[in-house]
Amino acid sequence: MLLKNLTSPTLISTRKTFGSKEEIIGYLVKKLWEAGKLHSEEEFYQAVMNREKLSPTGIEGGLAIPHGKSTAVKEASFAVITLEKPVHHWESINPNNQVELVFLLAIPEDEAGSTHLTLLSELVTRLSDENYKKLLLHSETSQELFDHLDSHHADDRGADEKQSNKTILAVTACPAGIAHTYMAAEALVKAGKELGIDVYVEKQGANGIEDRHTEELIEKAHAVIFAADVAVKNEERYDSLPKVKTSVAAPLKDAKGILMKALAKSGSSVHRKDTKPGVSVKSEQNEQKSFKTELKDSILTGISHIIPVIVSGGMTLAVAVFLAQAFGLQEIYDTEGSWLWLLRKLGGNLLGTLMVPILAAYMAYSIADKPALGPGFAAGVAANLIESGFLGGMLGGLLAGYFLKYLKTVVKAKGTFAGFVSFWLYPVLGTLVVGSIMLFVIGKPLASLNQGLIDWLNGLSGVNAIILGAILGAMVSFDLGGPVNKAAYTFCIGAIANGNFIPYAAFASVKMVSAFAVTGATIFGKRYFTEAEREVGKQTWLLGLAGITEGAIPLMINDPLRVIPSLVAGSAITGGIVAFFNIGLNVPGAGIFSLAFLQGQPALMAAGIWLGAAVLGALVTMVLLIATRKNKLRKEQEEKTFSRAAA
């Protein structure tokens, strides 16, 4: 792509001095207007400033690329400016970025998905070369900078073409299949565009598989990234590709680094374009999961598959109870075979009969794929028979998964008897072995342990309840949907399975704290937060009402040492309050709608305590977020003053 075709010396300025981002953008917009590139100067300026509110256009290394897509633009073009003195207050991906080189892109509305992305990707790719960037910065005149624009293209044509020919696939998946799945996908695609790499992401979320990779795409790909906290569906499709495996949250922090790692693996792999998908290629790069990672993924996979069962079963049961109480239908509710009794049984069986077998089956599936499903279900049914509950289901799922994994290495499904081994030997032998161990070896100890947990939970009160609630609250907001949060969730789901609903009520209330706090902090402490952070704050409260904590992640990533303790403090208070008052909830994932299904206190009192605890915790966190950010900015200002004085 020749950059000179989209600009001219009259659109380039060098060695200018401005005091703010707004002045620079206004100056460049005027240049575009005077060059006849715009229908309306004011309309385009507003389009650029509206884009500035969405996310930082400052990159790093002194670079900023503001841009506007508008009908006010006649033809795609860009203006450039180098600054005599860097601008310190330009919101950037790197908080320490001091802007001294600015490209303002003007894109017609109908070219938003083509010219815009191509030009942005081209600029970021070229400017990642320090020598090229210095060449532009050191240009003394507009004509000199214009002449240097395509120097990178001429000198490094071969390298650029090689880089742009790379295709990286990615699969993103988180236990809930909502926020992290899509945020990770967006981060990888964005980083790919900046690096000049074709990135195609398959999202395995709550709605199933979206943007599924085709066989043709897999065949031409150079590597695949699994950014997932649960088992990847149909992972065998990628056997011919070198792999990078990481958590679903990792791309939010370092998407470029992960893509570069995938490129490095593709360069040293034995993978070839003529390798057919599904044909395994032995390579040191195709590493196996560690035991710790495999164990975590197994648990999270099981939990992700029981969430719909718990929600639908709990809500169905709650509706039956509500109808009986609201319309005086208690007699029908208790009469065997009646419509309301059947509705009650439907919800109860989803929770009491199906939940544990599904948990065990998909934990086993995560470890040993489809052959482990039958033994996994059997392990879950056995857990129900011996009354070992959620704990028994988890242990049974692990037992089934690892036994089948071992069996597959001892008795391989190949040759004439491959079908017999896969569809008869594995499930039958696995069910007999795992089921027998569950029923006759570990049944009584597990049942005793499970009953002990039930008795302990039921006996919690006073200080002990506060401590439990505070610990759960702290865990929920420590990593906002990460492994620690999921560990708390697992415990709460296990408590529900054992008939104790207090832990999940605390968990659900705390899930609103971080979201409410970020909104409050960016409103009442507006001047201490960037435009991008204020934009995030406008949305998080709504996510909080839906019980989604991930909205606060951008703030946490930018300043974890201050944000995480602030979130944890308010969340611990909320969890302690809810547990102290014995508020219960047996319908996971309902967000603010949980108010209608709270237990343990009269309806209005329970709702007031549960929601009030979330608001109080959010207020505490909000105050801490503002105070810590104010202190951070004060220290940064003192350091700048000291540096200037020293200079």
Side-chain angles (χ1 to χ4, degrees), residues 5 17 39 44 60 65 67 69 84 161 250 266 320 354 453 456 476 486 491 517 532 536 576 611 614 624 635 645:
N5 293 340
T17 301
H39 293 295
F44 180 65
E60 57 185 358
I65 309 180
H67 44 280
K69 297 168 285 186
E84 188 71 37
E161 288 180 356
S266 71
L354 283 184
L453 176 62
W456 176 71
V476 171
K486 291 300 183 289
F491 176 83
V536 168
L611 186 57
L624 292 173
K635 287 183 177 180

PDB file of all heavy atoms in Angstrom, residues 5 17 39 44 60 65 67 69 84 161 250 266 320 354 453 456 476 486 491 517 532 536 576 611 614 624 635 645:
ATOM      1  N   ASN A   5      -0.298   8.047  -1.784  1.00  0.00           N
ATOM      2  CA  ASN A   5      -1.531   8.206  -2.558  1.00  0.00           C
ATOM      3  C   ASN A   5      -2.669   8.771  -1.735  1.00  0.00           C
ATOM      4  O   ASN A   5      -3.686   9.200  -2.284  1.00  0.00           O
ATOM      5  CB  ASN A   5      -1.960   6.855  -3.135  1.00  0.00           C
ATOM      6  CG  ASN A   5      -0.991   6.340  -4.188  1.00  0.00           C
ATOM      7  OD1 ASN A   5      -0.217   7.110  -4.755  1.00  0.00           O
ATOM      8  ND2 ASN A   5      -1.020   5.036  -4.446  1.00  0.00           N
ATOM      9  N   THR A  17       4.058  23.123  17.819  1.00  0.00           N
ATOM     10  CA  THR A  17       3.866  23.080  19.271  1.00  0.00           C
ATOM     11  C   THR A  17       2.399  23.323  19.601  1.00  0.00           C
ATOM     12  O   THR A  17       1.822  24.342  19.186  1.00  0.00           O
ATOM     13  CB  THR A  17       4.728  24.135  19.987  1.00  0.00           C
ATOM     14  OG1 THR A  17       6.099  23.899  19.692  1.00  0.00           O
ATOM     15  CG2 THR A  17       4.523  24.068  21.501  1.00  0.00           C
ATOM     16  N   HIS A  39     -16.448  17.575   3.267  1.00  0.00           N
ATOM     17  CA  HIS A  39     -17.665  18.337   2.973  1.00  0.00           C
ATOM     18  C   HIS A  39     -17.933  19.347   4.084  1.00  0.00           C
ATOM     19  O   HIS A  39     -18.465  20.432   3.827  1.00  0.00           O
ATOM     20  CB  HIS A  39     -18.871  17.394   2.859  1.00  0.00           C
ATOM     21  CG  HIS A  39     -18.814  16.470   1.689  1.00  0.00           C
ATOM     22  ND1 HIS A  39     -18.865  16.907   0.382  1.00  0.00           N
ATOM     23  CD2 HIS A  39     -18.701  15.110   1.629  1.00  0.00           C
ATOM     24  CE1 HIS A  39     -18.797  15.867  -0.441  1.00  0.00           C
ATOM     25  NE2 HIS A  39     -18.692  14.759   0.286  1.00  0.00           N
ATOM     26  N   PHE A  44     -16.869  16.685  10.626  1.00  0.00           N
ATOM     27  CA  PHE A  44     -15.793  15.691  10.730  1.00  0.00           C
ATOM     28  C   PHE A  44     -15.063  15.804  12.070  1.00  0.00           C
ATOM     29  O   PHE A  44     -14.716  14.785  12.678  1.00  0.00           O
ATOM     30  CB  PHE A  44     -14.801  15.850   9.578  1.00  0.00           C
ATOM     31  CG  PHE A  44     -13.667  14.856   9.644  1.00  0.00           C
ATOM     32  CD1 PHE A  44     -13.910  13.497   9.509  1.00  0.00           C
ATOM     33  CD2 PHE A  44     -12.364  15.278   9.876  1.00  0.00           C
ATOM     34  CE1 PHE A  44     -12.876  12.568   9.588  1.00  0.00           C
ATOM     35  CE2 PHE A  44     -11.327  14.360   9.965  1.00  0.00           C
ATOM     36  CZ  PHE A  44     -11.584  13.006   9.822  1.00  0.00           C
ATOM     37  N   GLU A  60       1.766   3.755  21.549  1.00  0.00           N
ATOM     38  CA  GLU A  60       2.938   3.750  22.407  1.00  0.00           C
ATOM     39  C   GLU A  60       4.103   4.273  21.589  1.00  0.00           C
ATOM     40  O   GLU A  60       3.984   4.484  20.384  1.00  0.00           O
ATOM     41  CB  GLU A  60       3.240   2.337  22.918  1.00  0.00           C
ATOM     42  CG  GLU A  60       3.449   1.310  21.818  1.00  0.00           C
ATOM     43  CD  GLU A  60       3.626  -0.092  22.378  1.00  0.00           C
ATOM     44  OE1 GLU A  60       3.616  -0.247  23.602  1.00  0.00           O
ATOM     45  OE2 GLU A  60       3.798  -1.017  21.568  1.00  0.00           O
ATOM     46  N   ILE A  65      -2.911   7.754  16.618  1.00  0.00           N
ATOM     47  CA  ILE A  65      -3.597   7.669  15.321  1.00  0.00           C
ATOM     48  C   ILE A  65      -5.093   7.915  15.539  1.00  0.00           C
ATOM     49  O   ILE A  65      -5.909   6.980  15.548  1.00  0.00           O
ATOM     50  CB  ILE A  65      -3.374   6.302  14.644  1.00  0.00           C
ATOM     51  CG1 ILE A  65      -1.886   5.952  14.606  1.00  0.00           C
ATOM     52  CG2 ILE A  65      -3.929   6.311  13.221  1.00  0.00           C
ATOM     53  CD1 ILE A  65      -1.581   4.614  13.954  1.00  0.00           C
ATOM     54  N   HIS A  67      -8.845   8.985  14.368  1.00  0.00           N
ATOM     55  CA  HIS A  67      -9.469   8.757  13.077  1.00  0.00           C
ATOM     56  C   HIS A  67     -10.974   8.996  13.178  1.00  0.00           C
ATOM     57  O   HIS A  67     -11.574   8.886  14.246  1.00  0.00           O
ATOM     58  CB  HIS A  67      -9.193   7.350  12.541  1.00  0.00           C
ATOM     59  CG  HIS A  67      -9.325   6.267  13.568  1.00  0.00           C
ATOM     60  ND1 HIS A  67      -8.336   5.984  14.469  1.00  0.00           N
ATOM     61  CD2 HIS A  67     -10.327   5.406  13.847  1.00  0.00           C
ATOM     62  CE1 HIS A  67      -8.715   4.995  15.257  1.00  0.00           C
ATOM     63  NE2 HIS A  67      -9.918   4.625  14.902  1.00  0.00           N
ATOM     64  N   LYS A  69     -14.704   8.242  10.868  1.00  0.00           N
ATOM     65  CA  LYS A  69     -15.432   7.681   9.722  1.00  0.00           C
ATOM     66  C   LYS A  69     -16.727   8.474   9.601  1.00  0.00           C
ATOM     67  O   LYS A  69     -17.562   8.436  10.499  1.00  0.00           O
ATOM     68  CB  LYS A  69     -15.707   6.201   9.951  1.00  0.00           C
ATOM     69  CG  LYS A  69     -14.434   5.351  10.051  1.00  0.00           C
ATOM     70  CD  LYS A  69     -14.720   3.954  10.556  1.00  0.00           C
ATOM     71  CE  LYS A  69     -14.989   3.981  12.060  1.00  0.00           C
ATOM     72  NZ  LYS A  69     -15.141   2.628  12.626  1.00  0.00           N
ATOM     73  N   GLU A  84       7.115  19.514  18.391  1.00  0.00           N
ATOM     74  CA  GLU A  84       8.367  19.959  18.995  1.00  0.00           C
ATOM     75  C   GLU A  84       8.465  19.493  20.442  1.00  0.00           C
ATOM     76  O   GLU A  84       9.508  19.023  20.897  1.00  0.00           O
ATOM     77  CB  GLU A  84       8.454  21.492  18.937  1.00  0.00           C
ATOM     78  CG  GLU A  84       9.790  22.069  19.348  1.00  0.00           C
ATOM     79  CD  GLU A  84      10.883  21.804  18.318  1.00  0.00           C
ATOM     80  OE1 GLU A  84      10.578  21.843  17.110  1.00  0.00           O
ATOM     81  OE2 GLU A  84      12.022  21.548  18.744  1.00  0.00           O
ATOM     82  N   GLU A 161       5.592  -8.409   2.992  1.00  0.00           N
ATOM     83  CA  GLU A 161       4.731  -9.374   2.321  1.00  0.00           C
ATOM     84  C   GLU A 161       4.720 -10.701   3.056  1.00  0.00           C
ATOM     85  O   GLU A 161       3.699 -11.347   3.189  1.00  0.00           O
ATOM     86  CB  GLU A 161       5.210  -9.559   0.885  1.00  0.00           C
ATOM     87  CG  GLU A 161       4.896  -8.350   0.003  1.00  0.00           C
ATOM     88  CD  GLU A 161       5.377  -8.551  -1.400  1.00  0.00           C
ATOM     89  OE1 GLU A 161       6.020  -9.589  -1.677  1.00  0.00           O
ATOM     90  OE2 GLU A 161       5.127  -7.674  -2.236  1.00  0.00           O
ATOM     91  N   ALA A 250      -5.829 -13.883  29.089  1.00  0.00           N
ATOM     92  CA  ALA A 250      -4.485 -13.476  28.668  1.00  0.00           C
ATOM     93  C   ALA A 250      -4.480 -12.489  27.491  1.00  0.00           C
ATOM     94  O   ALA A 250      -3.712 -11.527  27.506  1.00  0.00           O
ATOM     95  CB  ALA A 250      -3.644 -14.708  28.345  1.00  0.00           C
ATOM     96  N   SER A 266       4.997 -21.207  14.487  1.00  0.00           N
ATOM     97  CA  SER A 266       4.729 -21.576  13.091  1.00  0.00           C
ATOM     98  C   SER A 266       6.017 -21.616  12.289  1.00  0.00           C
ATOM     99  O   SER A 266       6.164 -22.403  11.363  1.00  0.00           O
ATOM    100  CB  SER A 266       3.750 -20.593  12.452  1.00  0.00           C
ATOM    101  OG  SER A 266       4.359 -19.332  12.226  1.00  0.00           O
ATOM    102  N   ALA A 320     -43.088 -22.617  40.189  1.00  0.00           N
ATOM    103  CA  ALA A 320     -44.096 -23.492  40.798  1.00  0.00           C
ATOM    104  C   ALA A 320     -44.427 -23.037  42.219  1.00  0.00           C
ATOM    105  O   ALA A 320     -45.596 -22.982  42.626  1.00  0.00           O
ATOM    106  CB  ALA A 320     -43.593 -24.935  40.803  1.00  0.00           C
ATOM    107  N   LEU A 354     -30.331 -34.490  37.455  1.00  0.00           N
ATOM    108  CA  LEU A 354     -29.476 -34.303  36.283  1.00  0.00           C
ATOM    109  C   LEU A 354     -28.179 -33.546  36.563  1.00  0.00           C
ATOM    110  O   LEU A 354     -27.172 -33.791  35.907  1.00  0.00           O
ATOM    111  CB  LEU A 354     -30.247 -33.552  35.192  1.00  0.00           C
ATOM    112  CG  LEU A 354     -31.266 -34.348  34.379  1.00  0.00           C
ATOM    113  CD1 LEU A 354     -31.860 -33.465  33.297  1.00  0.00           C
ATOM    114  CD2 LEU A 354     -30.600 -35.558  33.739  1.00  0.00           C
ATOM    115  N   LEU A 453     -19.993 -31.502  55.232  1.00  0.00           N
ATOM    116  CA  LEU A 453     -20.038 -30.171  54.630  1.00  0.00           C
ATOM    117  C   LEU A 453     -21.414 -29.544  54.794  1.00  0.00           C
ATOM    118  O   LEU A 453     -21.540 -28.357  55.133  1.00  0.00           O
ATOM    119  CB  LEU A 453     -19.670 -30.259  53.144  1.00  0.00           C
ATOM    120  CG  LEU A 453     -19.757 -28.951  52.338  1.00  0.00           C
ATOM    121  CD1 LEU A 453     -18.801 -27.918  52.890  1.00  0.00           C
ATOM    122  CD2 LEU A 453     -19.474 -29.209  50.854  1.00  0.00           C
ATOM    123  N   TRP A 456     -21.851 -28.447  58.353  1.00  0.00           N
ATOM    124  CA  TRP A 456     -21.043 -27.259  58.647  1.00  0.00           C
ATOM    125  C   TRP A 456     -21.693 -25.992  58.098  1.00  0.00           C
ATOM    126  O   TRP A 456     -21.791 -24.977  58.781  1.00  0.00           O
ATOM    127  CB  TRP A 456     -19.648 -27.436  58.048  1.00  0.00           C
ATOM    128  CG  TRP A 456     -18.774 -26.228  58.223  1.00  0.00           C
ATOM    129  CD1 TRP A 456     -18.220 -25.762  59.369  1.00  0.00           C
ATOM    130  CD2 TRP A 456     -18.373 -25.319  57.181  1.00  0.00           C
ATOM    131  NE1 TRP A 456     -17.482 -24.627  59.121  1.00  0.00           N
ATOM    132  CE2 TRP A 456     -17.559 -24.335  57.785  1.00  0.00           C
ATOM    133  CE3 TRP A 456     -18.606 -25.261  55.807  1.00  0.00           C
ATOM    134  CZ2 TRP A 456     -16.991 -23.286  57.058  1.00  0.00           C
ATOM    135  CZ3 TRP A 456     -18.033 -24.230  55.093  1.00  0.00           C
ATOM    136  CH2 TRP A 456     -17.238 -23.253  55.709  1.00  0.00           C
ATOM    137  N   VAL A 476     -14.651 -13.286  44.695  1.00  0.00           N
ATOM    138  CA  VAL A 476     -15.459 -12.928  43.524  1.00  0.00           C
ATOM    139  C   VAL A 476     -14.817 -11.780  42.757  1.00  0.00           C
ATOM    140  O   VAL A 476     -14.735 -11.798  41.518  1.00  0.00           O
ATOM    141  CB  VAL A 476     -16.886 -12.539  43.953  1.00  0.00           C
ATOM    142  CG1 VAL A 476     -17.656 -11.952  42.770  1.00  0.00           C
ATOM    143  CG2 VAL A 476     -17.631 -13.746  44.501  1.00  0.00           C
ATOM    144  N   LYS A 486     -13.924 -18.197  39.823  1.00  0.00           N
ATOM    145  CA  LYS A 486     -14.565 -19.462  39.481  1.00  0.00           C
ATOM    146  C   LYS A 486     -14.477 -20.469  40.629  1.00  0.00           C
ATOM    147  O   LYS A 486     -15.360 -21.310  40.795  1.00  0.00           O
ATOM    148  CB  LYS A 486     -13.924 -20.049  38.216  1.00  0.00           C
ATOM    149  CG  LYS A 486     -14.228 -19.244  36.952  1.00  0.00           C
ATOM    150  CD  LYS A 486     -15.730 -19.187  36.683  1.00  0.00           C
ATOM    151  CE  LYS A 486     -16.053 -18.463  35.389  1.00  0.00           C
ATOM    152  NZ  LYS A 486     -15.837 -17.020  35.429  1.00  0.00           N
ATOM    153  N   PHE A 491     -17.661 -23.466  44.723  1.00  0.00           N
ATOM    154  CA  PHE A 491     -18.065 -23.732  46.104  1.00  0.00           C
ATOM    155  C   PHE A 491     -19.552 -23.420  46.313  1.00  0.00           C
ATOM    156  O   PHE A 491     -20.282 -24.189  46.942  1.00  0.00           O
ATOM    157  CB  PHE A 491     -17.219 -22.896  47.068  1.00  0.00           C
ATOM    158  CG  PHE A 491     -17.636 -23.037  48.511  1.00  0.00           C
ATOM    159  CD1 PHE A 491     -17.179 -24.108  49.270  1.00  0.00           C
ATOM    160  CD2 PHE A 491     -18.486 -22.119  49.112  1.00  0.00           C
ATOM    161  CE1 PHE A 491     -17.564 -24.257  50.597  1.00  0.00           C
ATOM    162  CE2 PHE A 491     -18.883 -22.249  50.429  1.00  0.00           C
ATOM    163  CZ  PHE A 491     -18.421 -23.329  51.176  1.00  0.00           C
ATOM    164  N   ALA A 517     -19.419   0.193  41.519  1.00  0.00           N
ATOM    165  CA  ALA A 517     -18.341   1.033  42.032  1.00  0.00           C
ATOM    166  C   ALA A 517     -17.620   1.774  40.909  1.00  0.00           C
ATOM    167  O   ALA A 517     -17.290   2.962  41.047  1.00  0.00           O
ATOM    168  CB  ALA A 517     -17.359   0.181  42.824  1.00  0.00           C
ATOM    169  N   ALA A 532     -11.554   7.250  28.204  1.00  0.00           N
ATOM    170  CA  ALA A 532     -11.869   5.833  27.949  1.00  0.00           C
ATOM    171  C   ALA A 532     -12.438   5.170  29.195  1.00  0.00           C
ATOM    172  O   ALA A 532     -13.386   4.388  29.127  1.00  0.00           O
ATOM    173  CB  ALA A 532     -10.613   5.099  27.489  1.00  0.00           C
ATOM    174  N   VAL A 536     -16.186   3.488  29.896  1.00  0.00           N
ATOM    175  CA  VAL A 536     -16.416   2.166  30.486  1.00  0.00           C
ATOM    176  C   VAL A 536     -17.400   2.270  31.646  1.00  0.00           C
ATOM    177  O   VAL A 536     -18.322   1.461  31.793  1.00  0.00           O
ATOM    178  CB  VAL A 536     -15.081   1.554  30.977  1.00  0.00           C
ATOM    179  CG1 VAL A 536     -15.343   0.330  31.854  1.00  0.00           C
ATOM    180  CG2 VAL A 536     -14.218   1.157  29.791  1.00  0.00           C
ATOM    181  N   GLY A 576     -20.032 -10.489  53.654  1.00  0.00           N
ATOM    182  CA  GLY A 576     -20.220 -10.696  55.091  1.00  0.00           C
ATOM    183  C   GLY A 576     -21.612 -10.330  55.560  1.00  0.00           C
ATOM    184  O   GLY A 576     -22.220 -11.038  56.373  1.00  0.00           O
ATOM    185  N   LEU A 611     -29.760  -6.194  48.327  1.00  0.00           N
ATOM    186  CA  LEU A 611     -29.399  -5.098  47.424  1.00  0.00           C
ATOM    187  C   LEU A 611     -28.644  -4.004  48.168  1.00  0.00           C
ATOM    188  O   LEU A 611     -27.681  -3.423  47.640  1.00  0.00           O
ATOM    189  CB  LEU A 611     -30.656  -4.530  46.768  1.00  0.00           C
ATOM    190  CG  LEU A 611     -30.444  -3.461  45.680  1.00  0.00           C
ATOM    191  CD1 LEU A 611     -29.555  -4.017  44.562  1.00  0.00           C
ATOM    192  CD2 LEU A 611     -31.778  -2.997  45.119  1.00  0.00           C
ATOM    193  N   ALA A 614     -25.005  -4.784  48.539  1.00  0.00           N
ATOM    194  CA  ALA A 614     -24.258  -4.539  47.296  1.00  0.00           C
ATOM    195  C   ALA A 614     -23.956  -3.056  47.121  1.00  0.00           C
ATOM    196  O   ALA A 614     -22.843  -2.669  46.742  1.00  0.00           O
ATOM    197  CB  ALA A 614     -25.049  -5.060  46.098  1.00  0.00           C
ATOM    198  N   LEU A 624     -12.556   4.160  47.662  1.00  0.00           N
ATOM    199  CA  LEU A 624     -11.172   3.686  47.569  1.00  0.00           C
ATOM    200  C   LEU A 624     -10.606   3.874  46.164  1.00  0.00           C
ATOM    201  O   LEU A 624      -9.434   4.237  46.000  1.00  0.00           O
ATOM    202  CB  LEU A 624     -11.097   2.214  47.972  1.00  0.00           C
ATOM    203  CG  LEU A 624     -11.367   1.911  49.449  1.00  0.00           C
ATOM    204  CD1 LEU A 624     -11.423   0.409  49.688  1.00  0.00           C
ATOM    205  CD2 LEU A 624     -10.290   2.536  50.327  1.00  0.00           C
ATOM    206  N   LYS A 635       1.314  11.647  42.879  1.00  0.00           N
ATOM    207  CA  LYS A 635       2.702  11.172  42.858  1.00  0.00           C
ATOM    208  C   LYS A 635       3.330  11.353  41.479  1.00  0.00           C
ATOM    209  O   LYS A 635       4.505  11.729  41.358  1.00  0.00           O
ATOM    210  CB  LYS A 635       2.755   9.700  43.266  1.00  0.00           C
ATOM    211  CG  LYS A 635       2.515   9.470  44.751  1.00  0.00           C
ATOM    212  CD  LYS A 635       2.662   7.990  45.106  1.00  0.00           C
ATOM    213  CE  LYS A 635       2.499   7.773  46.606  1.00  0.00           C
ATOM    214  NZ  LYS A 635       2.631   6.338  46.977  1.00  0.00           N
ATOM    215  N   ALA A 645      12.749  19.958  37.350  1.00  0.00           N
ATOM    216  CA  ALA A 645      13.667  20.745  38.173  1.00  0.00           C
ATOM    217  C   ALA A 645      15.095  20.220  38.035  1.00  0.00           C
ATOM    218  O   ALA A 645      16.061  20.982  37.966  1.00  0.00           O
ATOM    219  CB  ALA A 645      13.226  20.695  39.637  1.00  0.00           C
TER     220      ALA A 645
END
